[in-house]
Amino acid sequence: MAGTGVFADVLEGDVYKYYADGEWKKSSSGKSVAIINPMTRKTQYKVQACTQEEVNKVMESAKTAQKSWAKTPLWKRAELLHKAAAILKEHKAPIAECLVKEIAKPAKEAVTEVVRSGDLVSYTAEEGVRILGEGKFLVSDSFPGNQRTKYCLTSKIPLGVILAIPPFNYPVNLAVSKIAPALIAGNSLVLKPPTQGAVSALHMVHCFHLAGFPKGLISCVTGKGSEIGDFLTMHPGVNCISFTGGDTGIAISKKAGMIPLQMELGGKDACIVLEDADLDLVAANIIKGGFSYSGQRCTAVKVVLVMESVADLLVEKVKAKVAKLTVGAPEDDCDITPVVSESSANFIEGLVKDAKEKGATFCQEYKRDGNLIWPLLLDNVRPDMRIAWEEPFGPVLPVIRINSVEEGIHHCNASNFGLQGCVFTKDVNKAILISDAMETGTVQINSAPARGPDHFPFQGLKDSGIGSQGVTNSINMMTKIKTTVINLPTPSYTMG
Ligand code: G3H
């Protein structure tokens, strides 16, 4: 159970502690931040409201700890990460319980998130050993005007202190996708978890604590964005920010100093359906892509662009599947569970009302109870409706009927977002041409968008992000290239 057994140190009274200098601490603010259970809409947990002074201390410790961590052999860093991964998986049940209570993740998906996270940490340890164990050797005479008098050795060195800010929808998995690459590359890590999801993240951090990482190397501060948000992202002690979330990331990127940024800021992933597509496959992927975790995934299918000639049939097939989705409590492992907050539910409702006023066809009756919104397919959506462009982050999916593939590509590319997209057709040649034309970081052919497997590159164009993620890219992103040049007194060519 959360906050008990091996996790007992994380909790004092009814407030979870923050993690600094290898210890669980209470904030000197004496204040806490409430985490509201999306299902009951009552306070489920409380976490410390950390102060700016506490952030300063964490940054100092992170800087000191990083210096000796960078000197820790790579195999030893990997060994500790493997240990943390095993502990994380061993304690999947209490961590999953937190995910259920604070972000209403369906029970089985919550367990999957923790297991996937353990796998990600282990994979990162192995990949780090491989790619950080190699450098380059260059000779000078390949560049015009040079003799072979210089040998250049390159290696990858850590950046320093990495600030990781994951979102509410994967507070464990998208935290470890930042923590593990940072650590294997020899960096220290300061984590600011989302408020909804903070307790899951604190439990995950405790698994790293139990694995025995040096004190100060990993810290986790909780609190109000208004108090420590900008203070963290603009802190001079931070050498790199890895952020996943909404358009706050755009503001962060404008305020951050001259440091590397890794940003993933959502998407409006289009699903283009051609006339020759296998409509049963499309319908199954629309359900999985559009409605899993109630549509609260940046890679969710967020607009269906279907050729008019097959639209009626596809809509019927999707409607039949929507009718089978279970709606209710995450503890009961329902398909559709409450969205994360009341303000999120209100925002979704605003999009639905706008679509209603402008004449969209409702395939189901709109129904809401608190934060719980029943799955809704909106047919005959037109570009003048907000839902055609905005991200509901909820179980509401618009269908736009198109008369040509070009029309579909045009709609996809007119979006400010460019995370992923997908195309369904049996003609692979056509699929490749459409993929090339879609301005998105990834295009899935005959499957719904998804970030995983976690070692695949993951990136967004335009407002969807900066840089690329995925295990290998994240390790590389959290390092710098260092070169040492050996200058020889005379050219040195191979013998013979
Ligand atoms: O919400 C954003 C995540 O990166 C999406 O990950 O495709 O595994 O659900 P996922």
Side-chain angles (χ1 to χ4, degrees):
M1 209 184 139
T4 62
V6 292
F7 296 106
D9 284 352
V10 187
L11 183 63
E12 190 173 310
D14 64 346
V15 187
Y16 281 88
K17 295 190 251 179
Y18 77 102
Y19 187 63
D21 266 322
E23 285 171 25
W24 291 99
K25 299 185 178 190
K26 280 169 77 176
S27 169
S28 61
S29 72
K31 292 183 193 149
S32 62
V33 180
I35 296 170
I36 310 297
N37 180 321
M39 184 74 201
T40 63
R41 290 187 290 155
K42 295 201 170 95
T43 297
Q44 179 73 44
Y45 303 123
K46 287 180 195 161
V47 291
Q48 306 292 324
C50 290
T51 64
Q52 296 184 353
E53 195 39 49
E54 282 155 352
V55 169
N56 280 335
K57 281 197 186 135
V58 154
M59 290 296 171
E60 264 172 48
S61 315
K63 194 174 173 179
T64 310
Q66 193 270 326
K67 300 279 176 223
S68 38
W69 181 242
K71 292 177 189 146
T72 304
L74 195 45
W75 66 264
K76 224 171 191 175
R77 291 184 219 157
E79 197 174 75
L80 279 171
L81 282 169
H82 280 301
K83 206 168 165 194
I87 297 170
L88 195 57
K89 282 182 170 182
E90 187 189 337
H91 298 294
K92 59 183 186 284
I95 303 175
E97 176 201 318
C98 302
L99 290 168
V100 167
K101 300 288 182 205
E102 56 182 347
I103 61 162
K105 188 158 273 198
K108 280 190 190 144
E109 282 178 44
V111 173
T112 304
E113 176 172 346
V114 184
V115 173
R116 174 183 179 183
S117 301
D119 291 339
L120 193 155
V121 173
S122 288
Y123 189 97
T124 307
E126 287 168 23
E127 184 71 346
V129 166
R130 279 194 289 269
I131 66 172
L132 297 167
E134 284 179 353
K136 263 190 177 176
F137 169 60
L138 290 91
V139 288
S140 51
D141 63 313
S142 54
F143 198 88
N146 285 273
Q147 296 289 330
R148 189 168 295 192
T149 52
K150 293 173 189 287
Y151 286 170
C152 177
L153 307 171
T154 77
S155 59
K156 287 172 186 153
I157 58 166
L159 295 176
V161 179
I162 312 286
L163 173 62
I165 310 182
F168 81 82
N169 61 349
Y170 285 98
V172 174
N173 184 264
L174 281 169
V176 301
S177 76
K178 303 171 192 312
I179 295 172
L183 296 182
I184 193 70
N187 300 287
S188 58
L189 193 286
V190 176
L191 176 69
K192 164 66 180 77
T195 296
Q196 300 289 142
V199 174
S200 314
L202 291 169
H203 282 69
M204 173 273 294
V205 167
H206 193 58
C207 296
F208 282 78
H209 170 80
L210 293 173
F213 282 89
K215 66 176 197 158
L217 189 70
I218 308 168
S219 323
C220 184
V221 288
T222 52
K224 291 199 171 86
S226 55
E227 173 71 13
I228 58 167
D230 277 357
F231 192 75
L232 272 163
T233 55
M234 294 167 74
H235 200 284
V238 172
N239 303 113
C240 165
I241 302 175
S242 178
F243 174 91
T244 306
D247 52 15
T248 315
I250 297 177
I252 292 176
S253 67
K254 287 184 179 148
K255 289 182 212 160
M258 216 177 71
I259 55 170
L261 301 176
Q262 186 181 49
M263 298 261 159
E264 198 268 277
L265 314 179
K268 183 73 183 171
D269 294 6
C271 171
I272 300 181
V273 186
L274 271 52
E275 280 154 330
D276 69 342
D278 174 343
L279 295 184
D280 290 313
L281 178 74
V282 182
N285 274 278
I286 287 177
I287 293 295
K288 181 171 145 251
F291 297 102
S292 56
Y293 188 36
S294 307
Q296 297 175 108
R297 296 166 53 237
C298 52
T299 48
V301 169
K302 297 206 180 95
V303 58
V304 177
L305 301 160
V306 55
M307 291 295 282
E308 178 70 61
S309 58
V310 291
D312 283 346
L313 196 51
L314 179 65
V315 167
E316 276 318 306
K317 285 180 187 288
V318 178
K319 259 172 81 172
K321 287 184 185 296
V322 167
K324 289 189 185 146
L325 292 172
T326 54
V327 182
E331 287 84 350
D332 299 335
D333 204 38
C334 287
D335 300 312
I336 304 294
T337 54
V339 295
V340 71
S341 65
E342 193 174 341
S343 62
S344 178
N346 291 344
F347 175 77
I348 297 163
E349 187 161 294
L351 295 179
V352 171
K353 279 188 179 157
D354 175 78
K356 178 124 204 155
E357 279 160 24
K358 291 175 183 160
T361 307
F362 280 51
C363 298
Q364 297 80 20
E365 192 194 337
Y366 172 66
K367 213 174 144 192
R368 171 181 171 185
D369 180 7
N371 296 355
L372 192 58
I373 292 177
W374 270 251
L376 180 60
L377 190 69
L378 298 173
D379 194 4
N380 295 304
V381 164
R382 290 188 322 265
D384 63 325
M385 299 175 191
R386 287 176 56 203
I387 191 94
W389 305 105
E390 294 180 42
E391 235 192 330
F393 236 67
V396 178
L397 182 61
V399 177
I400 298 181
R401 294 169 175 237
I402 53 172
N403 291 300
S404 68
V405 174
E406 289 71 24
E407 203 184 323
I409 293 170
H410 178 266
H411 186 92
C412 167
N413 292 352
S415 170
N416 288 340
F417 291 113
L419 188 60
Q420 292 207 356
C422 57
V423 53
F424 285 86
T425 173
K426 291 188 186 112
D427 184 338
V428 74
N429 296 324
K430 234 186 229 173
I432 297 285
L433 294 178
I434 295 169
S435 168
D436 286 349
M438 288 169 79
E439 293 169 1
T440 61
T442 302
V443 173
Q444 304 270 352
I445 296 173
N446 292 326
S447 187
R451 173 168 47 111
D454 290 327
H455 65 307
F456 280 13
F458 180 54
Q459 54 282 317
L461 307 184
K462 300 187 269 184
D463 285 354
S464 285
I466 300 175
S468 180
Q469 298 175 66
V471 170
T472 313
N473 287 342
S474 291
I475 296 172
N476 283 328
M477 187 267 164
M478 292 175 186
T479 61
K480 264 190 186 181
I481 302 289
K482 166 79 189 263
T483 62
T484 300
V485 180
I486 302 168
N487 289 274
L488 304 171
T490 51
S492 172
Y493 290 94
T494 45
M495 284 194 301

